[in-house]
Coordinates of all heavy atoms in Angstrom, one line a residue:
M21 N -1.3 -8.9 38.3 CA -0.8 -9.5 37.1 C -2.1 -10.2 36.5 O -2.8 -11.0 37.2 CB 0.3 -10.5 37.4 CG 0.7 -11.3 36.1 SD 1.8 -12.7 36.4 CE 3.2 -12.0 37.0
S22 N -2.3 -10.0 35.2 CA -3.5 -10.6 34.5 C -3.0 -12.0 33.9 O -1.9 -12.1 33.5 CB -4.0 -9.7 33.5 OG -3.1 -9.6 32.4
K23 N -4.0 -12.9 33.9 CA -3.7 -14.2 33.2 C -4.2 -14.1 31.8 O -5.3 -13.5 31.6 CB -4.4 -15.3 34.0 CG -3.8 -15.6 35.3 CD -4.4 -16.8 35.9 CE -3.6 -17.2 37.2 NZ -3.9 -18.5 37.6
T24 N -3.5 -14.7 30.9 CA -4.0 -14.8 29.6 C -4.2 -16.3 29.2 O -3.6 -17.2 29.8 CB -2.9 -14.2 28.6 OG1 -1.7 -14.9 28.8 CG2 -2.7 -12.7 28.8
A25 N -5.0 -16.5 28.2 CA -5.2 -17.9 27.8 C -4.0 -18.4 27.2 O -3.2 -17.7 26.6 CB -6.3 -17.9 26.7
P26 N -3.7 -19.7 27.4 CA -2.5 -20.3 26.9 C -2.6 -20.3 25.4 O -3.6 -20.4 24.8 CB -2.6 -21.8 27.4 CG -4.0 -22.0 27.8 CD -4.6 -20.7 28.2
T27 N -1.4 -20.1 24.8 CA -1.3 -20.1 23.3 C -0.8 -21.5 22.9 O -0.2 -22.2 23.6 CB -0.4 -19.1 22.8 OG1 0.9 -19.3 23.4 CG2 -0.9 -17.7 23.2
T28 N -1.1 -21.8 21.7 CA -0.7 -23.1 21.1 C 0.2 -22.8 19.9 O 0.0 -21.9 19.2 CB -1.8 -24.0 20.7 OG1 -1.3 -25.2 20.2 CG2 -2.8 -23.3 19.7
D29 N 1.3 -23.6 19.8 CA 2.2 -23.4 18.6 C 1.8 -24.3 17.5 O 2.4 -24.2 16.4 CB 3.6 -23.7 19.1 CG 4.2 -22.7 20.0 OD1 3.8 -21.5 19.9 OD2 5.0 -23.1 20.9
V30 N 0.8 -25.1 17.6 CA 0.4 -26.1 16.6 C -1.1 -25.9 16.3 O -1.9 -25.7 17.2 CB 0.7 -27.5 17.0 CG1 0.2 -28.5 16.0 CG2 2.1 -27.7 17.3
H31 N -1.4 -25.9 15.0 CA -2.8 -25.6 14.6 C -3.2 -26.7 13.6 O -2.4 -27.2 12.8 CB -2.9 -24.2 13.9 CG -2.4 -23.2 14.8 ND1 -3.1 -22.7 15.9 CD2 -1.2 -22.5 14.9 CE1 -2.4 -21.8 16.6 NE2 -1.3 -21.7 16.0
T32 N -4.5 -26.9 13.5 CA -5.0 -27.9 12.6 C -5.4 -27.3 11.3 O -6.2 -26.3 11.3 CB -6.3 -28.6 13.2 OG1 -5.9 -29.2 14.5 CG2 -6.8 -29.7 12.3
I33 N -4.8 -27.9 10.2 CA -5.2 -27.4 8.9 C -6.0 -28.5 8.2 O -5.5 -29.7 8.1 CB -3.9 -27.1 8.1 CG1 -2.9 -26.2 8.8 CG2 -4.3 -26.6 6.7 CD1 -3.5 -24.8 9.1
T34 N -7.2 -28.2 7.8 CA -8.1 -29.1 7.1 C -8.0 -28.8 5.7 O -8.2 -27.6 5.3 CB -9.5 -29.0 7.7 OG1 -9.5 -29.2 9.1 CG2 -10.4 -30.0 7.0
V35 N -7.7 -29.8 4.9 CA -7.6 -29.6 3.4 C -8.7 -30.4 2.7 O -8.8 -31.6 2.9 CB -6.2 -30.1 2.9 CG1 -6.1 -29.9 1.4 CG2 -5.1 -29.4 3.7
Q36 N -9.5 -29.7 1.9 CA -10.5 -30.4 1.1 C -10.0 -30.5 -0.3 O -9.6 -29.5 -0.9 CB -11.8 -29.6 1.2 CG -12.4 -29.4 2.6 CD -13.6 -28.4 2.6 OE1 -13.8 -27.7 1.7 NE2 -14.3 -28.5 3.7
T37 N -10.1 -31.7 -0.8 CA -9.6 -32.0 -2.2 C -10.7 -32.8 -2.9 O -11.7 -33.2 -2.2 CB -8.3 -32.8 -2.3 OG1 -8.5 -34.1 -1.8 CG2 -7.2 -32.1 -1.5
E38 N -10.5 -33.1 -4.1 CA -11.5 -34.0 -4.9 C -11.5 -35.4 -4.3 O -12.5 -36.1 -4.4 CB -11.0 -34.1 -6.3 CG -11.2 -32.8 -7.1 CD -10.7 -32.9 -8.5 OE1 -10.2 -34.0 -8.9 OE2 -10.9 -31.9 -9.3
T39 N -10.5 -35.8 -3.6 CA -10.5 -37.1 -3.0 C -10.9 -37.2 -1.6 O -11.0 -38.3 -1.0 CB -9.0 -37.7 -3.1 OG1 -8.2 -36.9 -2.3 CG2 -8.5 -37.8 -4.5
G40 N -11.3 -36.1 -1.0 CA -11.8 -36.1 0.4 C -11.2 -35.0 1.2 O -10.7 -34.0 0.7
Q41 N -11.3 -35.2 2.5 CA -10.9 -34.2 3.4 C -9.7 -34.8 4.3 O -9.8 -35.9 4.7 CB -12.0 -33.8 4.3 CG -11.7 -32.6 5.3 CD -12.9 -32.0 5.9 OE1 -13.8 -31.5 5.2 NE2 -13.1 -32.2 7.2
H42 N -8.7 -34.0 4.5 CA -7.5 -34.4 5.2 C -7.2 -33.4 6.2 O -7.4 -32.2 6.0 CB -6.3 -34.6 4.3 CG -6.7 -35.3 3.0 ND1 -6.6 -36.7 2.9 CD2 -7.1 -34.9 1.8 CE1 -7.0 -37.1 1.7 NE2 -7.3 -36.0 1.0
E43 N -6.6 -33.8 7.3 CA -6.2 -32.9 8.4 C -4.7 -33.1 8.7 O -4.3 -34.3 8.7 CB -7.0 -33.0 9.6 CG -8.4 -32.5 9.6 CD -9.1 -32.6 10.9 OE1 -8.5 -33.0 11.9 OE2 -10.3 -32.2 10.9
F44 N -4.0 -32.1 9.0 CA -2.7 -32.2 9.6 C -2.4 -31.1 10.5 O -3.2 -30.1 10.6 CB -1.6 -32.3 8.5 CG -1.5 -31.0 7.6 CD1 -0.8 -29.9 8.0 CD2 -2.2 -31.0 6.4 CE1 -0.7 -28.8 7.2 CE2 -2.1 -29.9 5.6 CZ -1.4 -28.8 6.0
E45 N -1.4 -31.2 11.3 CA -1.0 -30.2 12.3 C 0.2 -29.4 11.7 O 1.1 -29.9 11.1 CB -0.5 -30.8 13.6 CG -1.6 -31.7 14.2 CD -2.8 -31.0 14.7 OE1 -2.6 -29.9 15.4 OE2 -3.9 -31.4 14.5
A46 N 0.1 -28.1 11.9 CA 1.2 -27.2 11.4 C 1.6 -26.2 12.5 O 0.7 -25.7 13.2 CB 0.7 -26.5 10.1
K47 N 2.9 -25.9 12.5 CA 3.4 -25.0 13.5 C 3.0 -23.6 13.2 O 3.0 -23.2 12.0 CB 4.9 -25.1 13.6 CG 5.4 -26.3 14.4 CD 6.9 -26.3 14.6 CE 7.3 -27.4 15.5 NZ 8.7 -27.4 15.8
S48 N 2.8 -22.8 14.2 CA 2.6 -21.3 14.0 C 3.9 -20.7 13.3 O 5.0 -21.2 13.6 CB 2.5 -20.6 15.3 OG 1.2 -20.8 15.8
G49 N 3.6 -19.8 12.5 CA 4.7 -19.0 11.9 C 5.2 -19.4 10.5 O 5.8 -18.6 9.8
I50 N 4.8 -20.6 10.1 CA 5.2 -21.0 8.8 C 4.0 -20.6 7.8 O 2.9 -20.3 8.3 CB 5.5 -22.5 8.6 CG1 4.2 -23.4 8.8 CG2 6.6 -22.9 9.5 CD1 4.4 -24.8 8.5
T51 N 4.3 -20.5 6.6 CA 3.3 -20.1 5.6 C 2.4 -21.3 5.3 O 2.8 -22.5 5.5 CB 3.8 -19.6 4.3 OG1 4.5 -20.6 3.6 CG2 4.8 -18.4 4.6
L52 N 1.2 -21.0 4.8 CA 0.3 -22.1 4.4 C 0.9 -22.9 3.3 O 0.7 -24.1 3.3 CB -1.1 -21.4 4.1 CG -2.2 -22.4 3.6 CD1 -2.5 -23.4 4.7 CD2 -3.4 -21.6 3.2
R53 N 1.5 -22.2 2.4 CA 2.2 -22.9 1.3 C 3.2 -24.0 1.8 O 3.2 -25.1 1.4 CB 2.9 -22.0 0.3 CG 3.6 -22.6 -0.8 CD 4.3 -21.5 -1.7 NE 4.9 -22.1 -2.9 CZ 6.2 -22.4 -2.9 NH1 7.0 -22.2 -1.8 NH2 6.8 -22.9 -4.0
Q54 N 4.0 -23.5 2.7 CA 5.0 -24.4 3.3 C 4.3 -25.6 4.0 O 4.7 -26.8 3.8 CB 5.9 -23.7 4.4 CG 6.8 -22.7 3.8 CD 7.5 -21.8 4.9 OE1 6.9 -21.4 5.8 NE2 8.8 -21.6 4.7
A55 N 3.3 -25.3 4.8 CA 2.6 -26.4 5.5 C 2.0 -27.4 4.5 O 2.1 -28.6 4.7 CB 1.5 -25.8 6.4
L56 N 1.3 -26.9 3.5 CA 0.7 -27.8 2.5 C 1.8 -28.7 1.9 O 1.6 -29.9 1.8 CB 0.0 -27.0 1.4 CG -1.3 -26.3 1.9 CD1 -1.7 -25.3 0.8 CD2 -2.4 -27.2 2.2
R57 N 2.9 -28.1 1.4 CA 3.9 -28.9 0.8 C 4.5 -29.9 1.7 O 4.9 -31.0 1.3 CB 4.9 -28.0 0.1 CG 4.3 -27.2 -1.1 CD 5.1 -26.0 -1.5 NE 6.4 -26.4 -2.0 CZ 6.8 -26.6 -3.3 NH1 5.8 -26.4 -4.2 NH2 8.0 -26.9 -3.6
R58 N 4.7 -29.5 2.9 CA 5.4 -30.5 3.9 C 4.5 -31.7 4.2 O 4.9 -32.7 4.7 CB 5.7 -29.7 5.2 CG 6.8 -28.8 5.1 CD 7.0 -28.0 6.4 NE 8.0 -27.0 6.2 CZ 8.4 -26.2 7.1 NH1 7.9 -26.2 8.4 NH2 9.3 -25.3 6.9
H59 N 3.2 -31.5 3.9 CA 2.2 -32.6 4.3 C 1.6 -33.2 3.0 O 0.5 -33.8 3.0 CB 1.2 -32.1 5.2 CG 1.7 -31.8 6.6 ND1 2.3 -30.6 6.9 CD2 1.9 -32.6 7.7 CE1 2.7 -30.6 8.1 NE2 2.5 -31.8 8.6
G60 N 2.4 -33.1 1.9 CA 2.0 -33.8 0.7 C 0.9 -33.2 -0.1 O 0.4 -33.8 -1.1
H61 N 0.6 -31.9 0.1 CA -0.4 -31.2 -0.7 C 0.4 -30.1 -1.4 O 1.5 -29.7 -1.0 CB -1.5 -30.6 0.2 CG -2.3 -31.6 0.9 ND1 -3.2 -32.4 0.3 CD2 -2.2 -32.0 2.2 CE1 -3.8 -33.2 1.2 NE2 -3.2 -33.0 2.4
S62 N -0.2 -29.6 -2.4 CA 0.4 -28.5 -3.1 C -0.6 -27.5 -3.6 O -1.7 -27.9 -4.1 CB 1.3 -29.0 -4.3 OG 1.8 -27.9 -5.0
P63 N -0.3 -26.2 -3.5 CA -1.2 -25.2 -4.1 C -1.0 -25.1 -5.6 O -1.7 -24.4 -6.3 CB -0.8 -23.9 -3.4 CG 0.6 -24.1 -3.1 CD 0.8 -25.6 -2.8
H64 N 0.0 -25.8 -6.1 CA 0.4 -25.7 -7.5 C -0.1 -26.9 -8.4 O -0.4 -27.9 -7.8 CB 1.9 -25.7 -7.7 CG 2.6 -24.6 -6.9 ND1 2.5 -23.2 -7.3 CD2 3.3 -24.6 -5.8 CE1 3.1 -22.5 -6.4 NE2 3.7 -23.3 -5.5
N65 N -0.2 -26.6 -9.7 CA -0.5 -27.8 -10.6 C 0.9 -28.2 -11.1 O 2.0 -27.8 -10.7 CB -1.4 -27.3 -11.7 CG -0.9 -26.2 -12.6 OD1 0.3 -26.1 -12.8 ND2 -1.8 -25.4 -13.1
A66 N 0.9 -29.1 -12.1 CA 2.1 -29.7 -12.6 C 3.1 -28.7 -13.2 O 4.3 -28.8 -13.0 CB 1.8 -30.8 -13.7
V67 N 2.5 -27.7 -13.9 CA 3.4 -26.6 -14.5 C 3.8 -25.6 -13.4 O 5.0 -25.3 -13.3 CB 2.6 -25.9 -15.6 CG1 3.4 -24.7 -16.1 CG2 2.3 -26.9 -16.7
T68 N 2.9 -25.1 -12.6 CA 3.3 -24.1 -11.7 C 4.1 -24.7 -10.5 O 4.7 -23.9 -9.7 CB 2.1 -23.3 -11.1 OG1 1.2 -24.2 -10.4 CG2 1.3 -22.7 -12.3
N69 N 4.1 -26.0 -10.4 CA 4.9 -26.6 -9.3 C 6.4 -26.4 -9.7 O 7.3 -26.3 -8.8 CB 4.6 -28.1 -9.2 CG 5.2 -28.7 -8.0 OD1 5.1 -28.1 -6.9 ND2 5.9 -29.8 -8.1
I70 N 6.7 -26.2 -10.9 CA 8.1 -26.0 -11.4 C 8.3 -24.5 -11.6 O 9.4 -24.0 -11.1 CB 8.4 -26.7 -12.7 CG1 8.2 -28.2 -12.5 CG2 9.8 -26.4 -13.3 CD1 8.2 -29.0 -13.8
A71 N 7.4 -23.8 -12.2 CA 7.6 -22.4 -12.5 C 6.8 -21.6 -11.5 O 5.6 -21.2 -11.8 CB 7.1 -22.2 -14.0
N72 N 7.4 -21.3 -10.4 CA 6.8 -20.4 -9.4 C 7.9 -19.6 -8.8 O 9.1 -19.8 -9.0 CB 6.0 -21.2 -8.4 CG 6.8 -22.1 -7.5 OD1 7.5 -21.6 -6.7 ND2 6.7 -23.4 -7.8
C73 N 7.5 -18.6 -8.0 CA 8.5 -17.7 -7.4 C 9.1 -18.3 -6.1 O 9.9 -17.5 -5.5 CB 7.9 -16.4 -7.1 SG 6.7 -16.3 -5.8
G74 N 8.8 -19.5 -5.7 CA 9.4 -20.1 -4.5 C 8.8 -19.5 -3.2 O 9.5 -19.6 -2.2
G75 N 7.6 -19.0 -3.3 CA 7.0 -18.5 -2.1 C 7.3 -17.1 -1.7 O 7.3 -16.7 -0.5
R76 N 7.7 -16.3 -2.7 CA 8.1 -14.9 -2.4 C 6.9 -13.9 -2.6 O 7.1 -12.7 -2.4 CB 9.3 -14.5 -3.3 CG 10.5 -15.3 -3.0 CD 11.7 -14.9 -3.9 NE 12.8 -15.7 -3.7 CZ 13.0 -16.9 -4.3 NH1 12.1 -17.3 -5.2 NH2 14.1 -17.6 -4.1
G77 N 5.8 -14.4 -3.0 CA 4.6 -13.5 -3.2 C 4.7 -12.7 -4.5 O 4.0 -11.7 -4.6
H78 N 5.4 -13.2 -5.5 CA 5.5 -12.5 -6.7 C 4.8 -13.0 -7.9 O 4.4 -12.3 -8.8 CB 7.0 -12.3 -7.1 CG 7.8 -11.6 -6.1 ND1 7.6 -10.4 -5.7 CD2 9.0 -12.0 -5.5 CE1 8.5 -10.0 -4.8 NE2 9.3 -11.0 -4.7
C79 N 4.6 -14.4 -8.0 CA 4.1 -15.0 -9.2 C 2.5 -15.1 -9.2 O 1.9 -15.2 -10.3 CB 4.7 -16.3 -9.4 SG 4.3 -17.6 -8.2
G80 N 1.9 -15.2 -8.1 CA 0.5 -15.4 -8.0 C 0.0 -16.8 -8.4 O -1.2 -17.0 -8.7
L81 N 0.9 -17.8 -8.3 CA 0.6 -19.1 -8.7 C 0.3 -20.1 -7.6 O 0.3 -21.3 -7.8 CB 1.7 -19.6 -9.6 CG 1.9 -18.8 -10.9 CD1 3.1 -19.4 -11.7 CD2 0.6 -18.9 -11.8
C82 N 0.1 -19.6 -6.4 CA -0.1 -20.5 -5.2 C -1.4 -20.3 -4.6 O -1.6 -20.4 -3.4 CB 1.0 -20.4 -4.2 SG 1.1 -18.7 -3.5
V83 N -2.4 -19.9 -5.4 CA -3.7 -19.5 -4.9 C -4.5 -20.8 -4.4 O -4.5 -21.8 -5.0 CB -4.5 -18.9 -6.1 CG1 -6.0 -18.7 -5.6 CG2 -3.9 -17.6 -6.5
V84 N -5.0 -20.6 -3.2 CA -5.9 -21.6 -2.6 C -7.2 -20.8 -2.2 O -7.2 -19.6 -2.0 CB -5.3 -22.3 -1.4 CG1 -4.0 -23.0 -1.8 CG2 -5.0 -21.3 -0.3
E85 N -8.2 -21.6 -1.9 CA -9.4 -21.1 -1.3 C -9.5 -21.4 0.2 O -9.4 -22.6 0.5 CB -10.6 -21.6 -2.1 CG -11.9 -21.1 -1.5 CD -13.2 -21.7 -2.2 OE1 -13.0 -22.6 -3.1 OE2 -14.3 -21.3 -1.9
I86 N -9.4 -20.4 1.0 CA -9.6 -20.7 2.4 C -11.1 -20.6 2.7 O -11.7 -19.5 2.7 CB -8.8 -19.7 3.3 CG1 -7.3 -19.8 2.9 CG2 -9.0 -20.0 4.8 CD1 -6.4 -18.8 3.6
V87 N -11.7 -21.7 3.0 CA -13.2 -21.8 3.1 C -13.6 -21.5 4.6 O -14.8 -21.3 4.8 CB -13.7 -23.1 2.6 CG1 -13.5 -23.2 1.1 CG2 -13.2 -24.3 3.3
K88 N -12.7 -21.6 5.5 CA -13.1 -21.4 6.9 C -12.0 -20.8 7.7 O -10.8 -21.2 7.6 CB -13.5 -22.7 7.6 CG -14.1 -22.5 9.0 CD -14.5 -23.9 9.5 CE -15.0 -23.7 11.0 NZ -15.1 -25.0 11.6
D89 N -12.3 -19.7 8.4 CA -11.3 -19.0 9.3 C -10.1 -18.4 8.6 O -9.0 -18.5 9.0 CB -10.8 -20.0 10.4 CG -12.0 -20.4 11.3 OD1 -12.9 -19.6 11.5 OD2 -12.0 -21.6 11.7
A90 N -10.4 -17.8 7.4 CA -9.4 -17.1 6.7 C -8.8 -15.9 7.5 O -9.7 -15.1 7.9 CB -9.9 -16.7 5.3
P91 N -7.5 -15.8 7.6 CA -7.0 -14.6 8.2 C -7.1 -13.4 7.3 O -7.1 -13.6 6.0 CB -5.6 -14.9 8.5 CG -5.2 -15.9 7.5 CD -6.5 -16.7 7.2
P92 N -7.1 -12.2 7.7 CA -7.2 -11.0 6.8 C -5.8 -10.9 6.0 O -4.8 -11.3 6.6 CB -7.3 -9.8 7.7 CG -7.0 -10.3 9.1 CD -7.2 -11.8 9.2
P93 N -5.9 -10.5 4.8 CA -4.7 -10.4 4.0 C -3.8 -9.3 4.6 O -4.3 -8.3 5.2 CB -5.2 -9.9 2.6 CG -6.6 -10.2 2.6 CD -7.1 -10.2 4.0
T94 N -2.5 -9.5 4.5 CA -1.5 -8.6 5.1 C -0.6 -7.9 4.0 O 0.2 -7.1 4.3 CB -0.6 -9.2 6.1 OG1 0.1 -10.3 5.5 CG2 -1.4 -9.7 7.3
Q95 N -0.8 -8.4 2.7 CA 0.1 -7.9 1.7 C -0.8 -7.5 0.5 O -1.9 -8.1 0.3 CB 1.0 -9.0 1.2 CG 1.8 -9.6 2.3 CD 3.3 -9.4 2.3 OE1 3.8 -8.9 1.3 NE2 4.0 -9.7 3.3
A96 N -0.4 -6.6 -0.3 CA -1.2 -5.9 -1.3 C -1.7 -6.9 -2.4 O -2.9 -7.0 -2.7 CB -0.4 -4.8 -2.0
L97 N -0.8 -7.8 -2.9 CA -1.3 -8.7 -3.9 C -2.3 -9.7 -3.4 O -3.3 -10.0 -4.0 CB -0.1 -9.5 -4.6 CG -0.4 -10.5 -5.7 CD1 -1.2 -9.8 -6.8 CD2 0.9 -11.1 -6.2
D98 N -2.1 -10.2 -2.2 CA -3.0 -11.1 -1.6 C -4.3 -10.4 -1.3 O -5.4 -11.0 -1.5 CB -2.4 -11.7 -0.3 CG -3.2 -12.8 0.3 OD1 -3.8 -13.6 -0.5 OD2 -3.2 -13.0 1.6
S99 N -4.3 -9.2 -0.9 CA -5.5 -8.4 -0.6 C -6.3 -8.2 -1.9 O -7.5 -8.3 -1.9 CB -5.1 -7.1 0.1 OG -6.2 -6.3 0.4
T100 N -5.6 -7.9 -2.9 CA -6.2 -7.6 -4.2 C -7.0 -8.9 -4.7 O -8.1 -8.8 -5.1 CB -5.2 -7.2 -5.3 OG1 -4.6 -5.9 -4.8 CG2 -5.9 -6.9 -6.6
L101 N -6.3 -10.0 -4.7 CA -6.9 -11.3 -5.1 C -8.1 -11.6 -4.2 O -9.1 -12.0 -4.7 CB -5.9 -12.4 -5.1 CG -4.8 -12.3 -6.2 CD1 -3.8 -13.4 -6.0 CD2 -5.4 -12.4 -7.6
S102 N -7.9 -11.5 -2.9 CA -9.0 -11.8 -2.0 C -10.2 -10.9 -2.2 O -11.3 -11.4 -2.3 CB -8.4 -11.6 -0.6 OG -9.5 -11.9 0.4
G103 N -9.9 -9.6 -2.4 CA -11.0 -8.7 -2.7 C -11.8 -9.0 -4.0 O -12.9 -8.6 -4.1
M104 N -11.1 -9.6 -4.9 CA -11.7 -9.9 -6.2 C -12.4 -11.3 -6.1 O -12.9 -11.8 -7.1 CB -10.7 -9.9 -7.3 CG -10.2 -8.5 -7.6 SD -8.8 -8.5 -8.7 CE -9.6 -8.9 -10.2
G105 N -12.3 -12.0 -4.9 CA -12.9 -13.3 -4.8 C -12.1 -14.4 -5.5 O -12.7 -15.4 -5.9
M106 N -10.8 -14.1 -5.7 CA -10.0 -15.1 -6.5 C -9.2 -16.0 -5.6 O -8.3 -16.7 -6.2 CB -9.1 -14.3 -7.5 CG -9.9 -13.5 -8.5 SD -8.9 -12.5 -9.6 CE -8.1 -13.8 -10.5
G107 N -9.4 -16.0 -4.3 CA -8.6 -16.9 -3.5 C -7.5 -16.1 -2.8 O -7.4 -14.9 -2.8
R108 N -6.6 -16.9 -2.1 CA -5.5 -16.3 -1.4 C -4.2 -16.9 -1.8 O -4.1 -18.1 -2.2 CB -5.7 -16.6 0.1 CG -7.1 -16.1 0.7 CD -7.0 -14.6 0.8 NE -6.0 -14.1 1.6 CZ -6.0 -14.1 3.0 NH1 -7.1 -14.4 3.6 NH2 -5.0 -13.7 3.7
L109 N -3.2 -16.1 -1.7 CA -1.8 -16.6 -2.0 C -1.3 -17.3 -0.8 O -1.0 -16.7 0.3 CB -0.9 -15.4 -2.4 CG -1.2 -14.7 -3.7 CD1 -0.3 -13.6 -3.9 CD2 -1.2 -15.7 -4.8
S110 N -1.2 -18.6 -0.9 CA -0.8 -19.4 0.3 C 0.6 -19.1 0.8 O 0.8 -19.3 2.0 CB -0.9 -20.9 -0.1 OG -0.1 -21.3 -1.1
C111 N 1.4 -18.5 0.0 CA 2.7 -18.2 0.5 C 2.7 -16.9 1.3 O 3.7 -16.5 2.0 CB 3.8 -18.1 -0.6 SG 3.5 -16.7 -1.7
L112 N 1.6 -16.2 1.3 CA 1.5 -14.9 2.0 C 0.5 -15.1 3.2 O 0.2 -14.1 3.8 CB 1.0 -13.8 1.1 CG 2.0 -13.4 0.0 CD1 1.4 -12.3 -0.8 CD2 3.4 -13.1 0.5
V113 N 0.1 -16.3 3.5 CA -0.8 -16.6 4.6 C 0.1 -17.3 5.7 O 0.6 -18.3 5.5 CB -2.0 -17.5 4.3 CG1 -2.8 -17.8 5.5 CG2 -2.8 -16.8 3.2
T114 N 0.3 -16.6 6.8 CA 1.0 -17.2 8.0 C 0.1 -17.9 8.9 O -1.0 -17.4 9.3 CB 1.8 -16.1 8.7 OG1 2.6 -15.4 7.8 CG2 2.6 -16.7 9.9
I115 N 0.4 -19.1 9.2 CA -0.4 -19.9 10.1 C -0.3 -19.4 11.5 O 0.8 -19.4 12.1 CB -0.1 -21.4 10.0 CG1 -0.4 -21.9 8.6 CG2 -0.8 -22.2 11.1 CD1 0.0 -23.3 8.3
D116 N -1.5 -19.0 12.1 CA -1.5 -18.7 13.5 C -2.8 -19.1 14.2 O -3.1 -18.8 15.3 CB -1.2 -17.2 13.7 CG -2.3 -16.3 13.1 OD1 -3.2 -16.9 12.5 OD2 -2.2 -15.1 13.2
H117 N -3.6 -19.9 13.4 CA -4.8 -20.5 14.0 C -5.3 -21.6 13.0 O -4.7 -21.8 11.9 CB -5.9 -19.4 14.1 CG -6.3 -18.8 12.8 ND1 -5.6 -17.8 12.2 CD2 -7.3 -19.1 12.0 CE1 -6.2 -17.5 11.1 NE2 -7.3 -18.3 10.9
D118 N -6.3 -22.4 13.5 CA -6.8 -23.4 12.6 C -7.5 -22.8 11.4 O -8.0 -21.7 11.5 CB -7.8 -24.3 13.4 CG -7.3 -25.0 14.6 OD1 -6.0 -25.0 14.8 OD2 -8.1 -25.5 15.4
M119 N -7.4 -23.5 10.3 CA -8.2 -23.1 9.1 C -8.5 -24.2 8.2 O -7.9 -25.3 8.3 CB -7.4 -21.9 8.4 CG -6.1 -22.3 7.8 SD -5.2 -20.9 7.0 CE -4.5 -20.1 8.5
T120 N -9.4 -24.0 7.3 CA -9.8 -25.0 6.3 C -9.6 -24.5 4.9 O -10.0 -23.3 4.6 CB -11.3 -25.4 6.5 OG1 -11.5 -25.9 7.8 CG2 -11.7 -26.4 5.5
V121 N -8.9 -25.3 4.1 CA -8.5 -24.9 2.7 C -9.1 -25.8 1.7 O -9.1 -27.0 1.9 CB -6.9 -24.9 2.7 CG1 -6.4 -24.5 1.3 CG2 -6.3 -24.1 3.7
R122 N -9.5 -25.3 0.6 CA -9.9 -26.1 -0.5 C -8.9 -26.0 -1.7 O -8.6 -24.9 -2.1 CB -11.3 -25.7 -1.0 CG -11.8 -26.6 -2.1 CD -13.3 -26.3 -2.5 NE -14.2 -26.4 -1.4 CZ -15.1 -25.6 -1.0 NH1 -15.4 -24.5 -1.7 NH2 -15.9 -25.8 0.0
L123 N -8.4 -27.2 -2.1 CA -7.4 -27.2 -3.2 C -8.1 -27.6 -4.5 O -9.1 -28.4 -4.5 CB -6.3 -28.1 -2.9 CG -5.4 -27.8 -1.7 CD1 -4.3 -28.8 -1.5 CD2 -4.8 -26.4 -1.9
Ligands
FES4 S1 4.5 -19.0 -4.8 FE1 4.6 -17.2 -6.0 S2 3.1 -15.9 -5.2 FE2 3.1 -17.7 -3.9

């Protein structure tokens, strides 16, 4: 029987904003958009905070810049935006490791 490294269900998300850098812990399996909103951050501005698709990956209005340890895109729209250097759709990024985000 082989031994594997222990896994963690909680990861550190570092958020860089105009006011500084903040860190919080987020559980594996939730989206980056959910984690940000649960901890007082938002990928949206005042308008897109109201008019968005609710995290379904359709509107393209939850873009963030993942500046460190970005996971590879898994969905077409996220992949297209990422490939164009336009950021990532936070509702299509599932947290499974530590990462740093710029809002
Ligand atoms: S909230 Fe609409 S694409 Fe992410």
Side-chain angles (χ1 to χ4, degrees):
M21 177 190 293
S22 66
K23 289 190 172 190
T24 57
T27 59
T28 179
D29 289 329
V30 177
H31 305 283
T32 301
I33 306 301
T34 304
V35 180
Q36 299 175 343
T37 69
E38 291 178 356
T39 61
Q41 184 166 296
H42 315 270
E43 286 186 1
F44 62 83
E45 303 293 315
K47 286 188 173 183
S48 282
I50 67 171
T51 68
L52 179 57
R53 178 180 181 268
Q54 290 171 318
L56 289 168
R57 290 166 62 97
R58 288 178 187 177
H59 291 86
H61 298 284
S62 177
H64 303 290
N65 63 30
V67 173
T68 65
N69 194 45
I70 298 168
N72 64 72
C73 71
R76 295 178 187 87
H78 299 306
C79 68
L81 298 175
C82 63
V83 172
V84 299
E85 181 183 3
I86 302 176
V87 296
K88 185 177 176 195
D89 299 323
T94 60
Q95 308 243 351
L97 181 56
D98 191 33
S99 181
T100 299
L101 290 174
S102 177
M104 296 172 68
M106 298 178 68
R108 301 291 301 277
L109 293 178
S110 59
C111 70
L112 297 180
V113 174
T114 301
I115 292 175
D116 62 1
H117 63 277
D118 298 352
M119 64 183 80
T120 300
V121 180
R122 184 175 297 139
L123 298 180

